Amino acid sequence: MTHKMPELPYAKDALEPHISRETIEYHYGKHLQTYVDNLNKLIPGTPYEQASLEEIVRKAEGPVFNNGAQVWNHTFYFNTLAPKPQQEPEGELREAMEKKYGSFDNFKAEFEKKATGLFGSGWTWLVKDASGNLDIVNESNAGNPLRSGQTPLMVMDVWEHAYYIDYRNRRADSVKATWHLIDWKKVGERF
Ligand code: MN
């Protein structure tokens, strides 16, 4: 089976000024395209030739996992962002967040601490466990919380390629800017 590029759910310049058109052109247009192409080159003749992307994320190892998970993670990431999102969580997600972190602002502070503290390349996730409890987890490289039985709700990409054009070395500024784009309506639906 051939894995395809996911559609970008907005125009390439729609996330400006927080994420530039140029970043999207490289991040979506080149980095993600390369992961898709690599995955399609790697799977023929392996047990994952006919596997769904999620099965690859859950079970594969090595280069098939790395490229497959990067396709899954980026698809999820680009679909977590929106040009004019619902700016704050509501309903049950809001209640769960306030129970765990005290307030939305405290949650954001915890998330920022985790995202800026991740050494090297990776992803900072908001997840829920089997009992519905929220947690913030860091995964290095292509890591994905589905492998630990957690449900991904929201993610920020903290690989340098996600922010270097717009923010150079300033990951913390990139994380802060990304709050403007997180679609809490979508995150609430996942919860
Ligand atoms: Mn990326």
Side-chain angles (χ1 to χ4, degrees):
M1 121 164 164
T2 304
H3 295 273
K4 293 201 184 85
M5 272 292 274
E7 223 171 289
L8 190 68
Y10 33 75
K12 290 193 175 77
D13 60 359
L15 304 182
E16 292 186 346
H18 309 295
I19 296 178
S20 68
R21 165 193 279 272
E22 190 183 0
T23 288
I24 295 293
E25 281 170 355
Y26 276 84
H27 197 191
Y28 170 81
K30 296 191 188 294
H31 289 281
L32 176 53
Q33 182 73 61
T34 301
Y35 295 128
V36 171
D37 293 345
N38 285 344
L39 181 64
N40 285 325
K41 277 183 225 154
L42 284 163
I43 53 175
T46 75
Y48 299 103
E49 193 163 351
Q50 300 300 330
S52 70
L53 193 56
E54 187 169 323
E55 199 180 338
I56 290 172
V57 170
R58 288 179 185 276
K59 296 182 193 158
E61 301 289 344
V64 173
F65 168 74
N66 286 335
N67 286 279
Q70 284 294 75
V71 174
W72 196 103
N73 295 356
H74 282 91
T75 303
F76 188 85
Y77 166 74
F78 287 119
N79 278 289
T80 298
L81 306 180
K84 288 192 169 62
Q86 179 187 306
Q87 288 281 333
E88 297 196 4
E90 292 173 0
E92 288 176 22
L93 174 59
R94 180 95 189 192
E95 284 167 30
M97 192 173 275
E98 287 174 353
K99 190 172 143 216
K100 172 91 190 243
Y101 300 101
S103 68
F104 180 49
D105 281 345
N106 279 349
F107 157 76
K108 287 202 288 185
E110 284 294 312
F111 192 96
E112 286 173 21
K113 204 161 82 182
K114 202 94 181 180
T116 51
L118 193 161
F119 183 79
S121 295
W123 301 81
T124 303
W125 303 82
L126 171 65
V127 300
K128 74 166 179 179
D129 66 18
S131 323
N133 297 310
L134 296 177
D135 203 4
I136 301 165
V137 296
N138 276 343
E139 296 276 356
S140 289
N141 302 317
N144 184 301
L146 286 170
R147 285 169 83 90
S148 331
Q150 297 161 317
T151 304
L153 301 176
M154 182 276 249
V155 74
M156 287 197 200
D157 185 344
V158 295
W159 283 58
E160 276 186 352
H161 72 214
Y163 60 84
Y164 209 81
I165 291 170
D166 296 330
Y167 298 93
R168 295 301 170 188
N169 60 317
R170 304 188 313 277
R171 184 191 288 180
D173 290 351
S174 160
V175 169
K176 276 189 191 301
T178 305
W179 290 126
H180 295 281
L181 303 170
I182 298 290
D183 188 353
W184 286 103
K185 182 162 183 283
K186 207 166 274 178
V187 181
E189 287 163 5
R190 292 169 181 155
F191 181 70

